[in-house]
Amino acid sequence: MKATSKTFAATVERALYKIRVFYFCGADEAGAGDAAARVLERLNQGAAPAELVEFTGAELKRDSVRLADEARSTSLFGDRRVIRVTMAGDEAHDAIAALVEDTVPGWPVLIVASGATDKSRVAKLLTDRDDALVTIFYPPDARSVTEAVRGSVGALGLLVSGPLAEQIALAAGLDTRIARSELEKLALYLDASAEAPKTVTAKDLAAIGTQAGDDSMAPIVNATLGGAADRLKHELPRLASGDINPVGLLLAFERRAVQLAQLAARMGPGGNVQNFIDHEAQAKRIFFKDKADLMLQLHKWRGARLDRLLRRLAALHRAMLNDSVGAQLRLQQALAEIARAAAR
């Protein structure tokens, strides 16, 4: 089976317990990761949480039979299991092929594949199977994330108007995971539940600190992509101190790079950057506080340079997944290189 971010919720609701392998891919890695989390929640609904067994693609590449073995095994106490795989590209293809060839019924497997599309070898392996679901997540826009916000509030007991849902989507940088986190904070703050729903107001958003993007990461993202090496020198020690999660920061860079690619495509090669960004802000397709930074970055990152940046970030993501110990150092070195390129 195959779905997109728009049809995913309905497809899962209809066929949740028929699906053995869930494969999430596409340019919106935040959306893919959030969808995997939602499936896990649904599988645990009304029952004790299943034991979560996690693998990386690198682990399964080294041992291609391990995934199938784990999917049909039981825990010491006979608890339910769910297996989650985080991988880059097609690196675990052989392990997934061995899994689907195994005729013994097994536990559900959730696969989040960064840098992969519905044309990948794994996607082609799974698409025509009735017991698998391939879902591709295209780069998000304000409308789709706003719809995702409005689709999530009911289960949390929140009543959110359209304009406030859009504000939450923009404030989350069009990252559905961050948006869900904000909604969960709102539900806790308002003591809301499905049985006792509460209406969200602008004052409530202000009270929990919902604002544009992730404030702890935005200065590093903007200093790097704006070519402000001096500012970056003052920001990087926060990464070394452990104040900022390296993977979370890399995801913030990927979201901004994808946003720049979307903007560049809409503007076209001969467009006026200032006029275009002003128009996008007026149309509420970008957060107004991001105007100056996006204008500068769109001047610097377009065409072939932007393509190289996207490829560099994808390669960095794969390297950090394969070497979690050295992830922080890799990221620091890469950010310094990107900042120097932006300054030229």
Side-chain angles (χ1 to χ4, degrees):
M1 289 186 285
K2 189 173 180 180
T4 66
S5 53
K6 292 183 178 180
T7 61
F8 168 72
T11 304
V12 167
E13 199 62 34
R14 185 176 64 251
L16 178 66
Y17 297 104
K18 297 179 183 178
I19 301 170
R20 182 182 178 192
V21 183
F22 298 83
Y23 180 76
F24 308 96
C25 61
D28 181 14
E29 294 186 19
D34 182 50
R38 281 187 281 159
V39 169
L40 182 59
E41 288 177 4
R42 286 287 285 110
L43 290 172
N44 284 330
Q45 192 171 357
E51 177 189 1
L52 183 61
V53 182
E54 300 200 62
F55 293 108
T56 65
E59 289 175 310
L60 297 178
K61 186 176 182 179
R62 293 192 295 267
D63 186 353
S64 61
V65 300
R66 189 174 179 187
L67 180 60
D69 288 344
E70 290 289 344
R72 64 171 179 248
S73 67
T74 57
S75 70
L76 182 62
F77 301 102
D79 298 327
R80 294 184 307 117
R81 289 182 138 189
V82 175
I83 298 172
R84 183 166 59 196
V85 178
T86 304
M87 68 182 202
D90 280 320
E91 62 184 349
H93 173 273
D94 293 349
I96 296 166
L99 170 71
V100 298
E101 288 169 4
D102 193 337
T103 57
V104 178
W107 301 113
V109 177
L110 314 179
I111 304 167
V112 179
S114 64
T117 72
D118 56 342
K119 300 297 188 292
S120 68
R121 292 173 66 209
V122 173
K124 291 178 180 178
L125 177 70
L126 300 174
T127 297
D128 294 330
R129 298 184 61 91
D130 292 333
D131 61 352
L133 176 63
V134 173
T135 308
I136 183 165
F137 292 82
Y138 297 104
D141 55 28
R143 178 179 294 179
S144 63
V145 180
T146 298
E147 290 175 356
V149 168
R150 300 198 72 178
S152 301
V153 295
L156 294 170
L158 298 173
L159 303 174
V160 180
S161 67
L164 281 182
E166 182 180 52
Q167 183 177 336
I168 293 170
L170 292 173
L174 303 185
D175 185 320
T176 54
R177 290 172 300 185
I178 295 175
R180 276 166 59 86
S181 175
E182 295 300 319
L183 292 173
E184 288 165 0
K185 285 195 291 183
L186 277 167
L188 184 62
Y189 173 73
L190 295 170
D191 193 24
S193 67
E195 295 74 27
K198 300 290 175 62
T199 299
V200 178
T201 68
K203 289 183 178 179
D204 297 325
L205 297 187
I208 68 163
T210 300
Q211 47 191 286
D214 187 331
D215 281 351
S216 66
M217 298 179 187
I220 299 182
V221 172
N222 290 327
T224 302
L225 296 180
D230 290 340
R231 279 170 46 203
L232 184 60
K233 288 179 184 177
H234 296 292
E235 295 290 344
L236 283 180
R238 295 170 51 216
L239 180 59
S241 70
D243 182 44
I244 294 178
N245 179 277
V247 176
L249 179 57
L250 178 58
L251 289 172
F253 270 95
E254 291 177 337
R255 288 193 296 273
R256 176 53 60 87
V258 168
Q259 184 182 21
L260 290 173
Q262 292 175 314
L263 291 171
R266 288 203 296 269
M267 182 178 67
N272 181 288
V273 173
Q274 181 171 347
N275 292 342
F276 174 73
I277 291 295
D278 285 340
H279 181 268
E280 291 293 292
Q282 289 171 5
K284 295 185 178 180
R285 284 191 287 266
I286 63 173
F287 196 67
F288 74 95
K289 290 184 179 179
D290 290 336
K291 276 181 57 178
D293 290 311
L294 286 171
M295 198 175 298
L296 174 63
Q297 291 160 23
L298 198 54
H299 271 296
K300 292 178 176 294
W301 301 101
R302 295 164 69 180
R305 293 193 80 199
L306 181 55
D307 289 340
R308 288 195 295 271
L309 174 65
L310 288 164
R311 288 197 298 271
R312 179 72 176 91
L313 292 173
L316 179 61
H317 194 128
R318 290 192 293 270
M320 288 172 63
L321 286 175
N322 292 332
D323 179 20
S324 59
V325 175
Q328 180 181 289
L329 181 58
R330 283 181 184 273
L331 183 58
Q332 285 180 297
Q333 292 173 337
L335 297 190
E337 293 171 4
I338 292 170
R340 285 196 294 270
R344 289 199 290 268

